[in-house]
Each structure stands twice: as structure tokens, then as C-alpha cells.
């Protein structure tokens, strides 16, 4: 009888530890679905990551922080050098905080997976990503030349007669068929500048003394104003994206409200907040 009681207790203890084991596995699985915890669970040492970057990318000859795909065009490299060189605050911020910036022609998710052995997937067609644990920015170089556009009346009215004659009877055209190289480079510079400074914005927020509670409180304080500043839902409805985009506009254009008719320059509360953040 004593043997039976002992065996019964042993079985209960065994079941208890098996249950605990599966609960722990379940908790790890759930946490692994969140970006912050995934980076904790799958941690590549910084020196290993640096070796991988040095193997797969080419360090820029002018800025140590910049790393490009091996087939990157020289004219595109100049664009990113200018984005750093023409903004003293950005240049000092990158240098002082030892940021690494990877500029790729590939899919950002693929680079992220290959470098960090991380299966976490962000949204499709992602153009930029800041990874706090590694002080790393991964950014896709934008090139609109092969982008296909519908030939609607608005677009037709913006084109010269010569171009219209070349593309007559077409319903869709490639950007390279209607704009010259200089125009395409100009548009590419603007788009890439916006994304570049947006990711820098995330890094600035990461290195700032602002805690999570204050960030969220700030976002709700300015949320009504944000509807007039930005026309993209993912920015208006996310406190991190809203603040990063505000910083991007300020770094890129010298004013947060550059694309809004609602505010005059430096009138918005958001602008004053961003200026204080950058100054500090």
C-alpha cells in the first residue's frame, strides 16, 4: 500500500513538472511573436553581426557608418553621403552613437533574416527598419524608374507633347519612359531622404530620455494635430511612427508641417516638441 501511495505521488509530481515544462514552452512561443522578445531570444553577438556585415556589404570610403550592397551605383551612394553630410545634427548623432546603416537593393526582411537569423517578419514592401538592440538601420534603396503608372488625365496634363506622342495609345507607362534621368534621381533622392531620416527618427527616440509612458502620452496629446500633418494611417495611429515621421520632416525640410496647409511654419505643437527633443 505504501508503495502504491509513493508511486501515485511520484506520478503527480512528474505530471506537475511536465505541465510546467509545456507552460514555459508555450510562454516562450507567445513571446517570440513579439519583436522585442524575439531579439532577446535570438541574440547574435555584435562582433558576429559586424563580421557578417563586413562580408556581405561594402563599407563606404567616406562614412564608416554607411554600408552598401556590392553592386550599388556610385551616383546612389552620393545621395546617402549628402543626407549625412548636409545635416550637422544627423552627422554628429550617428557618429556619437556608433550607428550602422545598411543600404540595400534587396528586400529589407530578407536582409534582416540573413543577418540576424531572425524569422520575425515585418510588413511587406518595407523600405526601412531600425533595430534597437544592434543600433542598426536597414534600408532599401528606392528607384522609381521601373515603376508602372496608369496614364490618367492628371498625369497626361503634366507631360510634354513630345512625351505624349511617344506613349500614345498606352494605358500604362514606366516612369523611365516619361521622365528624364535627372528627374528620376531627384524624386529618388526625396523618397530615400524621407525614409532615411524616418529611421534616424526611430534611433533618436531610442537614445532619448523619453520613456514609453511619456511617448504614448505625447502621441495622444498631439494625435488630433497629427491628422492634419500626415495622411497615412500607420503614422497617425502609431505613436512611434508619428514621432519618427515628425522628426524625419524636421530633419529633411526644417519644419514638421512642410506638407500641411493647416499650419504655418513652426506653428504646430508637434513642431515645438520635436525641436526641444532634437535640441536636447
Amino acid at each position: 500500500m505504501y508503495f502504491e501511495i509513493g508511486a501515485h505521488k511520484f506520478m503527480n509530481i512528474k505530471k506537475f513538472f511536465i505541465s510546467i515544462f509545456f507552460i514555459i514552452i508555450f510562454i516562450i512561443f507567445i513571446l517570440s511573436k513579439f519583436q522585442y522578445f524575439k531579439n532577446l531570444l535570438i541574440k547574435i553577438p555584435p562582433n558576429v553581426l559586424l563580421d557578417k556585415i563586413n562580408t556581405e556589404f561594402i563599407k563606404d570610403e567616406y562614412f564608416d557608418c554607411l554600408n552598401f550592397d556590392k553592386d550599388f551605383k556610385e551616383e546612389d551612394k552620393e545621395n546617402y553621403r549628402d543626407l549625412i553630410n548636409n545635416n550637422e545634427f544627423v552627422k554628429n548623432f550617428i557618429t556619437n552613437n556608433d550607428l550602422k546603416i545598411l543600404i540595400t537593393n534587396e528586400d529589407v526582411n530578407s536582409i534582416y533574416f540573413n543577418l540576424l537569423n531572425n524569422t520575425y517578419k515585418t510588413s511587406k514592401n518595407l523600405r526601412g527598419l531600425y533595430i534597437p538592440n544592434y543600433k542598426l538601420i536597414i534600408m532599401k534603396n528606392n528607384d522609381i524608374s521601373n515603376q508602372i503608372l496608369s496614364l490618367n488625365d492628371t498625369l497626361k496634363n503634366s507631360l510634354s507633347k513630345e512625351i505624349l506622342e511617344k506613349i500614345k495609345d498606352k494605358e500604362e507607362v514606366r516612369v523611365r519612359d516619361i521622365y528624364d534621368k535627372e528627374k528620376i534621381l531627384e524624386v529618388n533622392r526625396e523618397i530615400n531622404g524621407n525614409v532615411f531620416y524616418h529611421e534616424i527618427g526611430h534611433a533618436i527616440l531610442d537614445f532619448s530620455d523619453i520613456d514609453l509612458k511619456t511617448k504614448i502620452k505625447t502621441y495622444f496629446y498631439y494625435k488630433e494635430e497629427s491628422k492634419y500633418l500626415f495622411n497615412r494611417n500607420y503614422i497617425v495611429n502609431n505613436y512611434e511612427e508619428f514621432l519618427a515621421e515628425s522628426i524625419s520632416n524636421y530633419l529633411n525640410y526644417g519644419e514638421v508641417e512642410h506638407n500641411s496647409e493647416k499650419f504655418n511654419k513652426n506653428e504646430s505643437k508637434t513642431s515645438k516638441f520635436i525641436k526641444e527633443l532634437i535640441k536636447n
Side-chain angles (χ1 to χ4, degrees), residues 193-202 204 242-256 258 274:
N194 291 339
V195 178
F196 183 84
Y197 286 135
H198 180 93
E199 299 311 322
I200 292 290
H202 280 298
I204 290 170
F242 164 63
L243 292 172
E245 188 69 4
S246 299
I247 293 170
S248 172
N249 281 357
Y250 183 70
L251 294 176
N252 208 8
Y253 304 103
E255 51 181 310
V256 173
H258 83 102
I274 295 300

Side-chain angles (χ1 to χ4, degrees), residues 53 98 110 186:
I53 290 172
D98 196 27
S110 299
E186 181 186 330

Side-chain angles (χ1 to χ4, degrees), residues 67-234:
N67 301 268
F68 297 101
D69 277 349
K70 291 178 179 178
D71 59 346
F72 216 81
K73 296 176 184 175
E74 191 61 32
E75 60 195 22
D76 289 336
K77 289 182 182 180
E78 271 310 313
N79 175 27
Y80 294 99
R81 291 169 187 152
D82 288 343
L83 289 172
I84 297 173
N85 215 28
N86 296 341
N87 192 309
E88 200 64 29
F89 172 83
V90 170
K91 189 195 296 186
N92 291 334
F93 176 79
I94 290 171
T95 304
N96 295 339
N97 294 293
D98 196 27
L99 250 61
K100 292 290 176 196
I101 303 165
L102 310 184
I103 314 293
T104 175
N105 289 316
E106 304 299 324
D107 175 63
V108 169
N109 276 321
S110 299
I111 300 297
Y112 181 39
F113 174 77
N114 291 336
L115 285 177
L116 300 180
N117 295 339
N118 202 323
T119 55
Y120 172 80
K121 291 292 181 183
T122 62
S123 58
K124 290 182 179 180
N125 303 318
L126 189 71
R127 291 190 294 184
L129 181 66
Y130 171 65
I131 308 169
N133 295 29
Y134 296 100
K135 299 191 289 186
L136 177 69
I137 289 172
I138 305 174
M139 182 182 154
K140 180 178 174 61
N141 182 53
N142 187 81
D143 184 359
I144 64 164
S145 21
N146 287 317
Q147 187 176 325
I148 297 174
L149 303 174
S150 296
L151 202 56
N152 55 32
D153 290 338
T154 305
L155 181 57
K156 285 179 181 177
N157 292 336
S158 70
L159 300 174
S160 66
K161 290 180 180 178
E162 290 78 15
I163 296 293
L164 286 172
E165 186 62 31
K166 288 180 183 177
I167 59 174
K168 64 181 179 181
D169 301 328
K170 289 187 179 181
E171 293 183 0
E172 294 182 332
V173 290
R174 290 189 185 276
V175 171
R176 67 185 180 205
D177 296 329
I178 58 175
Y179 295 130
D180 60 26
K181 186 178 179 182
E182 202 53 47
K183 172 70 174 176
I184 291 172
L185 283 174
E186 181 186 330
V187 176
N188 284 345
R189 284 190 197 105
E190 182 171 6
I191 295 172
N192 289 325
N194 291 339
V195 178
F196 183 84
Y197 286 135
H198 180 93
E199 299 311 322
I200 292 290
H202 280 298
I204 290 170
L205 291 168
D206 182 41
F207 282 96
S208 73
D209 295 328
I210 306 176
D211 58 25
L212 178 61
K213 184 179 177 182
T214 307
K215 285 179 186 175
I216 296 174
K217 184 179 176 182
T218 302
Y219 161 67
F220 280 110
Y221 185 64
Y222 297 128
K223 187 173 183 182
E224 191 59 35
E225 192 171 90
S226 75
K227 295 173 185 176
Y228 300 105
L229 292 171
F230 309 112
N231 57 7
R232 284 162 288 174
N233 285 334
Y234 83 95

